[in-house]
Amino acid sequence: MNGIRRHLKQFSLVMAILLAFATTVSVSAHAGMVGTGELIQQQQVDLDRQQLLSMLETQEVKDKLAQMGVSEDQVAERIQKLTPAELADFEQQLAQAPAGEGVVGVIVLFLLVFIITDMLCATNVFSFVKCLR
């Protein structure tokens, strides 16, 4: 019986130390209000990304990208990595493009994304584009 009590005392000492450690190191959560504007902005960014990705699905765009030696997966990955500001700028340029440009305008905009990501050292698709770093 004394052996069990001696082990019980050691066990309770270890548990007390663990409890003290756990209460001092605990992380508190912070809650904040999410504004409607922030929520709408995030949904707009997601919608813009989906619109660009849907443009990739047209056969004309796929053929043109294949002629240039760029895979559809590379384009989709880069679209996912665009910041909201870059995405908004890209969408604005696409909206200002003449309606008759069609596929050529989309391809030019995709190439612009490639060049920007090459300049930012995120990719290395074009050898003539030098990294800014």
Side-chain angles (χ1 to χ4, degrees):
M1 189 78 160
N2 284 338
I4 293 175
R5 287 185 187 221
R6 183 174 35 130
H7 291 295
L8 190 59
K9 286 182 182 181
Q10 290 174 350
F11 180 73
S12 62
L13 178 64
V14 169
M15 292 304 290
I17 290 171
L18 285 175
L19 181 63
F21 180 72
T23 56
T24 58
V25 181
S26 65
V27 179
S28 60
H30 298 282
M33 296 293 292
V34 177
T36 305
E38 294 172 13
L39 188 61
I40 290 174
Q41 182 182 13
Q42 181 59 40
Q43 288 178 347
Q44 184 64 40
V45 167
D46 293 340
L47 181 64
D48 290 345
R49 274 203 180 95
Q50 290 304 322
Q51 287 175 345
L52 285 177
L53 291 172
S54 68
M55 287 180 190
L56 277 177
E57 297 300 319
T58 61
Q59 190 60 40
E60 295 173 8
V61 173
K62 288 180 183 180
D63 293 341
K64 190 67 174 174
L65 287 173
Q67 288 176 358
M68 300 173 132
V70 179
S71 74
E72 183 182 343
D73 293 335
Q74 286 177 323
V75 177
E77 181 181 334
R78 290 195 185 125
I79 289 173
Q80 293 296 338
K81 290 183 179 180
L82 288 175
T83 65
E86 292 170 338
L87 192 60
D89 186 42
F90 193 70
E91 282 290 323
Q92 182 181 13
Q93 290 176 6
L94 189 61
Q96 291 175 352
E101 271 187 30
V103 174
V104 177
V106 171
I107 298 299
V108 168
L109 288 174
F110 283 136
L111 289 176
L112 180 65
V113 169
F114 291 144
I115 291 172
I116 290 171
T117 56
D118 277 357
M119 289 173 57
L120 295 174
C121 306
T123 59
N124 189 15
V125 174
F126 300 115
S127 59
F128 61 88
V129 177
K130 301 298 180 200
C131 183
L132 294 177
R133 292 186 200 166

